Amino acid sequence: MYVRHVAAAAAAFLGWALVLSGGPATAAASITAASAATATAGPDPVRLVGAPVLYAHRGASAYAPENTLAAVDLAEDLGVDWVENDVQRTKDGELVVIHDDTLSRTTDVKTRYPDRKPWRVADFTAAEIAGLDAGSWFGPQFAGARVPTLRQYLDRVRFNQQKLLLEIKKPELYPGIEQDTLRVLEEAGWLGEQQVENRLVVQSFSVDCVRMVHSLHPDLITAFLGTPAAEDLPVYAEFADRINPWHTTITAEWVAAVHALRGVHGRTLEVDTWIVDDPAVARKVQEMGVDGIITNAPDVVREAVGGF
């Protein structure tokens, strides 16, 4: 599934240009136009040989408020198979999908609860967070969007027949979040053989977290977020299948060093780099040999490198 026509790609590219110049409201309107063009387009193009897999970072977050169901749906409209999200835990133990460990940037929490600074996720109940507006900060057309629970997010991704790159965020703030995450994944039907083999990757910046997830559920595909020194890569290959670095920190030689190793499941260790939204940068990391690109604007990157 992906954008199937030059007109759709052009409209989506225009939407990203408007993000740079005119803000999210105009960008979202352009994405709507792109989706309409896609609906009337012809057959899918052939994927380019060597094109990387594309991951919609926090959903299609260039065009919709990050980590919301609206961003997931827009990624689906663009035909992006993989979405990435962040998981944290509320005061009463609910897992919610949000990037920051505070609620202030992406919700109206300051207005709703002015006396509860610094508005940490861990200091609010699931019910309190569910009542916040997580869309208006991005654009008025998203007013009323909510911070989804992990279960709500999983159900939407599954309904859209998408795949999930799930990041456990700041696990040091939430002891036991690895077990909690695996429990919700199990309850939502995401730990079956088909999902584990083809539709789910769990990642973290924390070595201990990735190691713990692998220990608790050895079948899962796991990824470490960061750029370990080449000589240290064999240690990571003992508990991870992928190394996911920031694009400014890598070279073709480093990518080749990763590919020279086999991950914990015996397959070539992969590299999915982030966050790439610029076409020239996308082509640069493609030439380095990365396996995947994590991006806020998957339509723009696809136009540049032919990913899927």
Side-chain angles (χ1 to χ4, degrees):
M1 305 186 299
Y2 50 100
V3 178
R4 296 190 290 267
H5 196 272
V6 173
F13 185 88
L14 174 60
W16 178 237
L18 287 169
V19 167
L20 299 179
S21 61
T26 50
S30 294
I31 282 297
T32 301
S35 300
T38 300
T40 58
D44 290 343
V46 176
R47 175 179 173 244
L48 299 180
V49 174
V53 176
L54 301 184
Y55 299 83
H57 183 238
R58 308 177 198 170
S61 57
Y63 314 115
E66 62 186 58
N67 277 325
T68 62
L69 300 184
V72 173
D73 290 343
L74 271 176
E76 197 273 336
D77 288 344
L78 290 171
V80 181
D81 282 347
W82 284 91
V83 293
E84 185 266 359
N85 76 302
D86 307 285
V87 173
Q88 300 194 57
R89 193 170 63 203
T90 68
K91 181 178 180 179
D92 52 345
E94 184 76 65
L95 296 184
V96 291
V97 175
I98 189 169
H99 175 270
D100 300 0
D101 61 355
T102 67
L103 297 154
S104 56
R105 181 175 64 87
T106 58
T107 77
D108 63 344
V109 70
K110 291 181 181 180
T111 301
R112 296 287 303 281
Y113 300 99
D115 299 326
R116 293 177 64 177
K117 189 176 181 180
W119 304 289
R120 287 185 292 258
V121 173
D123 292 338
F124 285 77
T125 67
E128 288 171 334
I129 292 175
L132 298 175
D133 182 342
S136 292
W137 69 274
F138 192 90
Q141 70 275 38
F142 295 108
R146 303 301 175 190
V147 175
T149 65
L150 177 58
R151 180 59 188 266
Q152 290 169 336
Y153 196 94
L154 291 171
D155 289 348
R156 183 61 62 88
V157 173
R158 190 168 191 172
F159 177 81
N160 289 346
Q161 300 183 40
Q162 293 165 300
K163 305 175 185 181
L164 181 63
L165 175 58
L166 185 156
E167 179 182 347
I168 299 178
K169 202 76 178 178
K170 296 191 176 182
E172 65 276 8
L173 299 179
Y174 311 105
I177 193 172
E178 297 89 353
Q179 292 92 330
D180 291 343
T181 300
L182 291 174
R183 173 181 52 78
V184 176
L185 286 167
E186 176 71 38
E187 291 171 355
W190 274 85
L191 294 185
E193 182 177 351
Q194 179 66 23
Q195 283 72 28
V196 167
E197 289 186 0
N198 302 298
R199 307 189 70 84
L200 177 65
V201 178
V202 178
Q203 65 177 359
S204 180
F205 282 99
S206 165
V207 170
D208 291 340
C209 177
V210 179
R211 199 192 303 270
M212 175 65 74
V213 170
H214 172 65
S215 174
L216 292 170
H217 204 297
D219 290 344
L220 272 175
I221 296 173
T222 53
F224 172 72
L225 282 160
T227 315
E231 59 268 25
D232 295 332
L233 288 169
V235 174
Y236 292 82
E238 294 175 0
F239 56 85
D241 303 275
R242 305 178 181 190
I243 307 294
N244 294 352
W246 187 25
H247 73 87
T248 65
T249 65
I250 63 175
T251 63
E253 292 74 20
W254 185 86
V255 173
V258 176
H259 286 161
L261 298 171
R262 292 189 179 276
V264 69
H265 291 109
R267 297 186 290 269
T268 300
L269 204 60
E270 294 186 16
V271 177
D272 301 325
T273 191
W274 48 272
I275 301 295
V276 178
D277 296 335
D278 179 81
V281 175
R283 288 188 287 268
K284 179 180 178 181
V285 296
Q286 181 184 32
E287 290 171 359
M288 291 181 186
V290 302
D291 303 283
I293 297 176
I294 302 169
T295 173
N296 299 313
D299 53 322
V300 174
V301 173
R302 177 189 291 137
E303 181 74 8
V305 302
F308 70 110

